[in-house]
Amino acid sequence: MGRIICLMGKSAAGKDTIFKELMSDQKLDLTRIVPYTTRPVREGEQDGVEYFFTEEAAFRQLQEDGKVIESRAYHTCHGLWRYFTVNDRQLQDERRNYIIIGTLEAYRKLQDYFGKERMLPIMVELEDGTRLQRALDRERGQECPKYEEMCRRFLADSEDFSEEKIAEAGIDRRFQNDDLHRCLDEIRLYLIREM
């Protein structure tokens, strides 16, 4: 049976970069799970690559059809944004190893749905000041920066990734992303050992 790797961490901890590097590693042979969201597309994003971008009505229909595995709703400075995982054709081959970027909450719900033995958590961490600078640099690069939302996300991460919640999720291995190459090497070795 294949594993489902859930890559997690606070905003701007380097999850997207690590995700891309792991996806390009042919030895790992990972299949991407593309999550869904109702938030607006950011500059440089493509539908079906980072997310399937959808509307609230489509989310409700998928939920009514029993296809939503897990969902999170955030009351942002720009309205309600949902992020969710759908039981669609992406997850048909149970022999494959899959990877998705998620939150602790998403990880726990995926664990409930697929079983603890199938899930493999990867918790990426980075010092708060470095994360905040990265988030600010990323937001400055947007055509229409949303600084207020960036700050809301940064503050919400303290609660969402509290030590208590990390312990409740049963995550005992974490990866420090203060050196990308070292962090990637450690994650690769961990995945090879655990898959």
Side-chain angles (χ1 to χ4, degrees), residues 53-68:
F53 294 95
T54 189
E55 301 292 327
E56 181 70 19
F59 165 75
R60 287 193 190 128
Q61 185 61 56
L62 287 165
Q63 198 170 40
E64 191 176 300
D65 294 343
K67 293 187 175 188
V68 175

Side-chain angles (χ1 to χ4, degrees), residues 38-149:
T38 60
R39 78 155 166 77
V41 179
R42 288 184 186 143
E43 191 175 321
E45 291 181 327
Q46 295 179 325
D47 187 42
V49 178
E50 291 83 10
Y51 292 97
F52 288 114
F53 294 95
T54 189
E55 301 292 327
E56 181 70 19
F59 165 75
R60 287 193 190 128
Q61 185 61 56
L62 287 165
Q63 198 170 40
E64 191 176 300
D65 294 343
K67 293 187 175 188
V68 175
I69 297 171
E70 62 83 25
S71 69
R72 291 147 280 128
Y74 299 99
H75 296 279
T76 74
C77 304
H78 305 282
L80 179 69
W81 290 355
R82 294 188 191 276
Y83 293 82
F84 52 104
T85 308
V86 174
N87 187 357
D88 55 15
R89 295 181 182 261
Q90 295 182 79
L91 295 161
Q92 285 186 328
D93 189 347
E94 291 185 8
R95 297 166 296 172
R96 295 205 55 79
N97 291 310
Y98 293 94
I99 186 168
I100 188 170
I101 297 175
T103 62
L104 269 173
E105 181 183 351
Y107 169 71
R108 295 192 72 183
K109 290 179 180 176
L110 289 165
Q111 196 177 44
D112 290 344
Y113 189 88
F114 290 106
K116 187 174 183 174
E117 67 285 344
R118 186 137 187 237
M119 298 301 300
L120 187 56
I122 302 290
M123 175 67 70
V124 177
E125 296 182 323
L126 184 64
E127 187 269 330
D128 282 348
T130 305
R131 285 191 318 103
L132 186 56
Q133 186 62 57
R134 284 184 181 179
L136 184 58
D137 292 344
R138 178 176 64 193
E139 208 57 43
R140 273 192 183 129
Q142 298 294 311
E143 187 175 309
C144 184
K146 295 178 174 69
Y147 296 117
E148 193 175 347
E149 175 55 24

